[in-house]
Amino acid sequence: MSKYITTPIYYVNGEAHIGHAYTTFIADTMARYEKLKGEDTYFLTGTDEHGQKIEESAQKNSKPTQEFADEISATFKNLWDEFEISYDKFIRTTDESHKKGVQRAFEVMYAKGDIYKDFYEGHYCVSCETFFTETQLVDGEFCPDCGRSTNIVKEESYFFRLSKYENALLKHYEENPDFILPRSRANEVINFVKGGLRDLSVTRTSFTWGVGMPESIKDDKHVMYVWLDALMNYITALGYGTTEENMRYWPASVQFVGKDILRFHAIYWPAFLMSLDLPLPKHIGAHGWWTRDGEKMSKSKGNVISPKQVADVYGTENLRYFMLREVPFGQDGDFSQRAFIDRINSELSNDLGNLLNRIIGMSGKYSDFEIDSVDVLKYHKKEIDAMNVVLDSLDAFMQNFQTHRYLEELWKLFSIGNKAIEEHAPWVKMKDDKKDEALATVALVANILAKASLMLHAIMPNTTNTIADALNFAISHESYNELIVEKKLLKLFNIKPVPPLFPRVEEPLMAEAPLAQPNITKESVKAAEQSLCEDDNLIEIGQFFQTSLKVGTVIKAEEVEKSKKLLKLQVDLGEEKLRQVVAGIREFYSAESLINTQVCVVANLKPAKLMGMVSEGMLLAAKDEDGLCLIRPEKPKKVGTPIG
Ligand code: MSP
């Protein structure tokens, strides 16, 4: 059976950020994984170029819209090429074949009676290209998604009979509980549909930068609504309405989207497909947001991290590894350089890199780099069995996009290898004249590394090619079959020494967001000292130490019902029991982004009650007009470490 994997198509109103890179990495990983297994796989990405938002961005940049779209679209394509994203097609919604396909789809839906003409009056958010009802608006005016002002727009419009598909959609969700993954996201979609679907306005007359009406309908005033235009890319890319050449890949096996655009993909898109009599995708995989200091990263907030900058200093494949290992699929993740460096040093450099160095070193010393698997099963049956259990468990994680679990499990292989070396101490065996035993342990580890490289290949393609090269084999569908499916061992070969693959990173390699530096002069220092001495608010050091400040790790975090501000945390301060801390930080941090992060806690405050809940401490935080941020240790510290 063939596989079809898609990313959303990216708006061309700004350059790619870490969030976009994540969607692309996960889709690329899936595509590479399937291709290695030998599946006939098609991987699509591209850019979404129509609509008022793009028109306005072009105007702001004083460029003709098409020229502006060309430029930004190229920045995405170039970045993906630089990152060696293995897409089979990069679609642009300004491609002629796409426009023809969308028009064809419109005709089919119109002919079926699923599209009709009427008037629309509603509150329109230009930024989100979406109409909202009065009750959906915040404070009667603002967009519930992005918070910007909406405008009242009344226009003639064509409507898609979305309401007609309400029951069919609900039935589909029920019969296909894995349609939306992770399953925890399905409820919000189901509730939205159960709340009643209104027909969807699918054309606009208020701007012109869009796909025009099909000739057969002859209504030049209208252009297509961007979401109708954009969603169709997933089939026009396969030739829908034109060549049809790759339609055999439809339906998609998985369509990756961020949680903010899940509704479009899990409601509108399947309804359009039903209207076109096409099957629905197998899965919509909705991932969480990458946040910075707890806030969603977005171009409009200006808090974005450039994936190119990060990749330039830390390496693209390290970045892929970090992003796919750090967050459970579906949850939000905070991008922290510290966490990134820790994973490079402990997981890539120590666990994987050192294991490779060790066997290069040992095989060089003991057997002139020759590796022979002949005695592996004789001395290491236990390890081979354990390795096969891990290898057999991996596919299920990948099929659910749980890349963090997949990698966590995969890393068990390196523990098996390291433990075997410690337990069997080949250097002792060599001294005791048991060379075949010593060489069997080295060969065991070589096999572990070979199989692990195959399974890591989709995430770190070049790094694993280098490892495979050192182990004298090439990563391919054939070697996958031999070493993974048929569970064979490596044939006799000579290992090729390679330089360490993952140099340790001692200090952050990138400056954090630059802070404004005050202008420090001798005079300003003197003035500051003087004003300090005159200040009668000063305290003695002993008074300061009356406050017990400690480092803690957040173990659990949840929202407090009926409160917009409060989160309830369980914090490990190294004491017998976890401390419950109720903190007014919900507007700035999501509960899930706090789990497993460190905080600084005032630990000797009298317990207080907040909304009926006991709070046994207070978090240190700094707040200014830009918002609040938690004060955290710069490097991970043991829980309970005193601060001062
Ligand atoms: N053009 C639409 C998608 C149309 S698909 C038929 C769009 N484009 S986007 O450029 O705004 O976003 C593209 C993808 O990036 C979305 O899946 C979105 O969720 C994702 N991300 C944008 N910001 C993000 C983060 N901060 N973190 C993770 N992904 C986020 O929406």
Side-chain angles (χ1 to χ4, degrees):
M1 213 184 56
S2 63
K3 302 276 173 177
Y4 181 32
I5 294 159
T6 67
T7 72
I9 44 173
Y10 302 103
Y11 282 133
V12 290
N13 61 345
E15 289 183 15
H17 62 68
I18 282 283
H20 304 135
Y22 176 69
T23 324
T24 309
F25 287 157
I26 196 159
D28 183 56
T29 294
M30 239 11 243
R32 285 176 181 273
Y33 182 81
E34 296 297 350
K35 284 178 186 170
L36 188 62
K37 278 170 64 181
E39 302 286 353
D40 175 18
T41 303
Y42 199 83
F43 170 26
L44 175 73
T45 188
T47 43
D48 186 356
E49 306 184 13
H50 288 129
Q52 198 169 356
K53 186 156 67 172
I54 311 294
E55 204 172 38
E56 285 178 1
S57 293
Q59 273 159 14
K60 268 194 213 135
N61 284 277
S62 319
K63 296 233 161 101
T65 317
Q66 184 64 57
E67 189 182 317
F68 178 74
D70 289 346
E71 277 175 21
I72 306 278
S73 175
T75 66
F76 275 91
K77 188 163 184 293
N78 293 340
L79 184 67
W80 300 156
D81 288 342
E82 205 177 312
F83 284 175
E84 299 181 65
I85 300 301
S86 62
Y87 58 82
D88 294 288
K89 185 176 170 85
F90 185 99
I91 192 172
R92 301 184 52 186
T93 53
T94 48
D95 290 342
E96 276 315 310
S97 54
H98 168 76
K99 294 190 213 168
K100 280 200 185 117
V102 176
Q103 287 170 335
R104 179 69 199 136
F106 197 96
E107 275 174 341
V108 172
M109 298 194 283
Y110 187 75
K112 197 173 179 182
D114 277 354
I115 287 182
Y116 62 94
K117 197 165 166 182
D118 202 342
F119 278 92
Y120 194 92
E121 182 164 5
H123 302 265
Y124 188 64
C125 172
V126 174
S127 180
C128 298
E129 313 267 15
T130 306
F131 276 102
F132 294 97
T133 60
E134 190 102 35
T135 50
Q136 288 172 318
L137 297 181
V138 174
D139 296 337
E141 178 187 348
F142 302 105
C143 169
D145 286 346
C146 74
R148 292 190 178 80
S149 283
T150 53
N151 302 323
I152 295 189
V153 174
K154 176 167 181 175
E155 51 180 61
E156 187 186 80
S157 178
Y158 285 84
F159 285 82
F160 172 73
R161 285 189 205 281
L162 187 61
S163 54
K164 171 177 157 188
Y165 290 97
E166 210 173 287
N167 289 335
L169 286 168
L170 288 171
K171 188 164 170 261
H172 188 78
Y173 306 138
E174 198 181 320
E175 288 172 358
N176 300 277
D178 284 338
F179 176 60
I180 298 166
L181 286 175
R183 283 183 178 198
S184 52
R185 286 245 162 264
N187 267 349
E188 72 198 44
V189 172
I190 295 172
N191 289 340
F192 190 92
V193 177
K194 280 189 177 156
L197 292 179
R198 301 190 336 160
D199 289 351
L200 187 69
S201 155
V202 287
T203 64
R204 298 283 183 271
T205 52
S206 51
F207 62 93
T208 53
W209 184 243
V211 179
M213 288 290 102
E215 261 176 41
S216 60
I217 294 179
K218 293 200 181 57
D219 205 343
D220 286 350
K221 276 205 312 268
H222 292 261
V223 292
M224 309 252 183
Y225 169 48
V226 270
W227 273 101
L228 176 78
D229 160 4
L231 287 163
M232 291 297 167
N233 92 87
Y234 301 128
I235 51 174
T236 62
L238 301 178
Y240 177 86
T242 52
T243 63
E244 305 278 326
E245 62 183 330
N246 283 317
M247 277 306 280
R248 70 193 161 86
Y249 286 104
W250 191 258
S253 13
V254 51
Q255 305 211 260
F256 287 106
V257 299
K259 63 183 180 183
D260 50 329
I261 56 171
L262 175 60
R263 201 194 316 153
F264 298 99
H265 285 81
I267 301 175
Y268 301 172
W269 179 225
F272 292 156
L273 287 167
M274 286 175 185
S275 174
L276 295 173
D277 289 318
L278 286 173
L280 306 197
K282 293 271 172 312
H283 307 291
I284 303 291
H287 66 75
W289 285 334
W290 280 89
T291 58
R292 190 165 175 183
D293 303 323
E295 273 203 60
K296 182 186 179 220
M297 237 177 262
S298 72
K299 290 167 225 167
S300 51
K301 283 198 189 123
N303 62 350
V304 297
I305 295 177
S306 142
K308 170 146 174 54
Q309 257 175 25
V310 182
D312 281 350
V313 288
Y314 288 102
T316 310
E317 301 207 350
N318 289 355
L319 175 62
R320 284 171 76 111
Y321 172 79
F322 170 69
M323 297 192 91
L324 298 180
R325 173 66 186 83
E326 181 74 1
V327 288
F329 183 78
Q331 291 184 21
D332 291 350
D334 210 49
F335 193 90
S336 127
Q337 251 192 112
R338 198 64 256 171
F340 188 8
I341 293 172
D342 286 346
R343 289 202 186 277
I344 293 180
N345 290 344
S346 74
E347 291 157 18
L348 294 176
S349 183
N350 279 0
D351 299 341
L352 168 55
N354 280 351
L355 196 59
L356 180 63
N357 296 342
R358 286 179 94 176
I359 63 148
I360 292 176
M362 287 193 280
S363 66
K365 252 199 208 154
Y366 308 154
S367 57
D368 208 10
F369 297 109
E370 191 179 272
I371 303 268
D372 190 345
S373 303
V374 70
D375 286 328
V376 170
L377 274 168
K378 183 165 155 202
Y379 294 110
H380 289 292
K381 171 105 177 43
K382 185 183 86 184
E383 285 85 358
I384 294 285
D385 287 347
M387 174 183 80
N388 285 336
V389 170
V390 172
L391 290 172
D392 288 344
S393 72
L394 292 175
D395 191 62
F397 295 118
M398 193 59 97
Q399 298 308 333
N400 285 312
F401 328 128
Q402 292 296 341
T403 55
H404 80 295
R405 287 286 293 116
Y406 178 94
L407 287 167
E408 197 176 30
E409 285 303 302
L410 182 55
W411 247 244
K412 288 188 178 159
L413 296 181
F414 306 131
S415 308
I416 296 173
N418 272 314
K419 217 167 127 210
I421 295 180
E422 296 316 318
E423 271 177 25
H424 291 261
W427 49 94
V428 176
K429 300 273 158 64
M430 287 299 286
K431 275 195 208 136
D432 294 350
D433 223 13
K434 291 181 182 161
K435 188 169 175 182
D436 56 340
E437 274 192 50
L439 295 188
T441 307
V442 177
L444 165 77
V445 176
N447 277 285
I448 288 181
L449 282 166
K451 292 176 195 243
S453 319
L454 279 159
M455 299 313 281
L456 185 59
H457 183 67
I459 292 155
M460 305 186 85
N462 290 322
T463 314
T464 49
N465 281 339
T466 310
I467 301 177
D469 195 35
L471 299 175
N472 197 41
F473 80 104
I475 293 183
S476 66
H477 173 50
E478 286 69 36
S479 57
Y480 177 89
N481 265 349
E482 272 181 33
L483 294 169
I484 303 294
V485 181
E486 295 164 23
K487 300 190 163 49
K488 288 192 182 150
L489 296 179
L490 292 167
K491 296 190 190 95
L492 180 74
F493 73 99
N494 270 10
I495 203 165
K496 231 191 269 164
V498 285
L501 292 177
F502 307 102
R504 285 182 68 80
V505 181
E506 298 305 340
E507 287 301 322
L509 301 176
M510 283 169 39
E512 297 288 356
L515 294 173
Q517 291 293 328
N519 200 3
I520 300 175
T521 60
K522 265 191 196 156
E523 289 71 34
S524 68
V525 171
K526 231 181 173 176
E529 279 171 0
Q530 197 150 12
S531 77
L532 261 181
C533 292
E534 284 161 6
D535 190 344
D536 51 18
N537 276 333
L538 299 181
I539 58 165
E540 297 292 337
I541 185 113
Q543 286 173 284
F544 172 73
F545 279 115
Q546 285 175 1
T547 314
S548 162
L549 296 171
K550 287 185 181 171
V551 175
T553 297
V554 180
I555 305 296
K556 210 173 147 200
E558 56 198 311
E559 279 129 21
V560 172
E561 230 182 283
K562 295 204 195 110
S563 166
K564 280 192 187 154
K565 297 215 160 122
L566 296 180
L567 289 181
K568 188 167 88 178
L569 315 177
Q570 307 298 332
V571 183
D572 184 357
L573 287 182
E575 302 164 332
E576 221 166 81
K577 266 181 56 201
L578 298 179
R579 290 272 191 123
Q580 173 158 299
V581 177
V582 181
I585 55 173
R586 182 168 173 180
E587 288 160 288
F588 310 98
Y589 290 89
S590 69
E592 50 195 15
S593 74
L594 289 172
I595 295 176
N596 279 331
T597 66
Q598 291 209 300
V599 287
C600 298
V601 180
V602 182
N604 62 341
L605 274 183
K606 285 197 182 136
K609 268 200 166 175
L610 293 168
M611 290 192 76
M613 287 164 307
V614 179
S615 181
E616 305 164 294
M618 197 177 94
L619 302 187
L620 291 193
K623 192 172 176 187
D624 64 10
E625 59 282 3
D626 289 334
L628 172 144
C629 76
L630 288 170
I631 311 291
R632 304 171 183 276
E634 189 201 352
K635 295 182 182 158
K637 284 279 147 205
K638 265 201 223 108
V639 289
T641 304
I643 302 168

